[in-house]
Amino acid sequence: MRYLTVRLVPRDQPGFHPLGERLLAEPSLQREAVHHFELLDDGTLLLLAEGSGDRDRYEEIMASEPTVRDYMVSGEERWMAVSQFEANEAIREVLAWQQREDIVVETPVQFQQDGSQQMTLIGEDESFRALYEEATSLDSFDIEVVETGEYTPDTDRLARTLTTRQQEIMAAAVDLGYYREPREATHEDIAGALDLSPSAVGKHLRRVEERVFAALAR
């Protein structure tokens, strides 16, 4: 298993989104990192982010920004914020680029002073090459390779080498007794619980096992 750290630089604007541009332009605020992101069915983005600086000014910007649906802040000089806002085309393009089943984005994603984002991807070289080629054809950002090498997760970070779907299937397999001795569930049982095909379950479980055992063997 390999890691690839990259920097995504917005191509035609200071940030990837009007909200990000406003926060970036405010000298009393510092955006630190994104700890979770999720594109919702209604086209909005749910974000858990870390920031520092003038919290009151941050809340003023969030309250006046027309793309923001809702937000909540906890903390003082350094704070965590949950926000829901309308995703624009640039955000959707970045998310679509990231959300491949054979690549895992390790959080947190780091904000840079110039509005770019630095992130570490976990996967294999073949997937990285395809991802890089795809990125160079997109309109919203340029990509710079920062670092790459062998990925050796510790126990606390092992689950983050799995995609959300892989974690879901692994949890169902454990709950249904797939890994008990004697085995109490089949691929068909797991597929029925998750509304998937048995072949898809088998494919995902093989990838889960490959990544988990490869990490433990290091």
Side-chain angles (χ1 to χ4, degrees):
M1 192 156 26
R2 305 274 294 174
Y3 75 88
L4 174 68
T5 300
V6 296
R7 187 166 159 262
L8 305 185
V9 183
R11 185 165 291 168
D12 299 321
Q13 60 275 329
F16 288 99
H17 190 275
L19 173 60
E21 292 177 25
R22 290 187 64 185
L23 295 173
L24 179 65
E26 175 52 59
S28 68
L29 298 175
Q30 177 64 49
R31 297 187 301 162
E32 304 287 351
V34 173
H35 292 269
H36 178 77
F37 52 89
E38 181 179 355
L39 188 63
L40 304 180
D41 291 339
D42 63 359
T44 60
L45 183 69
L46 184 67
L47 198 72
L48 172 62
E50 181 181 359
S52 60
D54 188 341
R55 172 178 162 173
D56 290 339
R57 179 60 182 142
Y58 172 82
E59 295 201 60
E60 287 175 7
I61 292 174
M62 296 297 286
S64 64
E65 170 56 47
T67 62
V68 173
R69 298 277 188 91
D70 201 3
Y71 70 93
M72 180 177 64
V73 190
S74 177
E76 295 302 329
E77 292 185 3
R78 196 175 188 94
W79 26 265
M80 300 294 291
V82 177
S83 58
Q84 181 186 4
F85 56 90
E86 297 167 10
N88 62 354
E89 184 59 31
I91 289 288
R92 283 191 288 269
E93 192 171 57
V94 171
L95 290 175
W97 175 79
Q98 293 175 356
Q99 292 173 344
R100 298 165 60 107
E101 69 174 34
D102 53 351
I103 292 289
V104 175
V105 179
E106 185 178 51
T107 54
V109 174
Q110 301 292 334
F111 288 116
Q112 306 297 301
Q113 295 282 354
D114 60 358
S116 64
Q117 295 181 6
Q118 183 166 306
M119 64 184 65
T120 295
L121 311 172
I122 303 167
E124 302 296 342
D125 284 338
E126 182 179 350
S127 299
F128 293 154
R129 282 192 290 271
L131 203 65
Y132 184 87
E133 290 174 3
E134 182 181 334
T136 57
S137 70
L138 299 178
D139 297 327
S140 61
F141 63 91
D142 294 313
I143 183 170
E144 299 175 2
V145 174
V146 177
E147 186 180 37
T148 186
E150 290 294 324
Y151 184 76
T152 53
D154 58 32
T155 303
D156 292 336
R157 298 168 68 186
L158 180 57
R160 283 187 280 173
T161 68
L162 307 178
T163 66
T164 300
R165 172 64 83 185
Q166 288 168 354
Q167 291 183 42
E168 179 184 21
I169 292 172
M170 181 180 69
V174 171
D175 289 343
L176 292 172
Y178 180 79
Y179 289 108
R180 294 189 189 125
E181 181 58 42
R183 181 164 286 171
E184 298 177 3
T186 64
H187 288 178
E188 287 75 13
D189 296 325
I190 300 167
L194 298 175
D195 195 24
L196 295 171
S197 69
S199 61
V201 168
K203 174 183 174 182
H204 282 292
L205 283 180
R206 285 191 294 275
R207 287 183 174 175
V208 168
E209 291 160 3
E210 178 185 7
R211 291 187 173 185
V212 169
F213 289 120
L216 292 177
R218 296 185 188 280

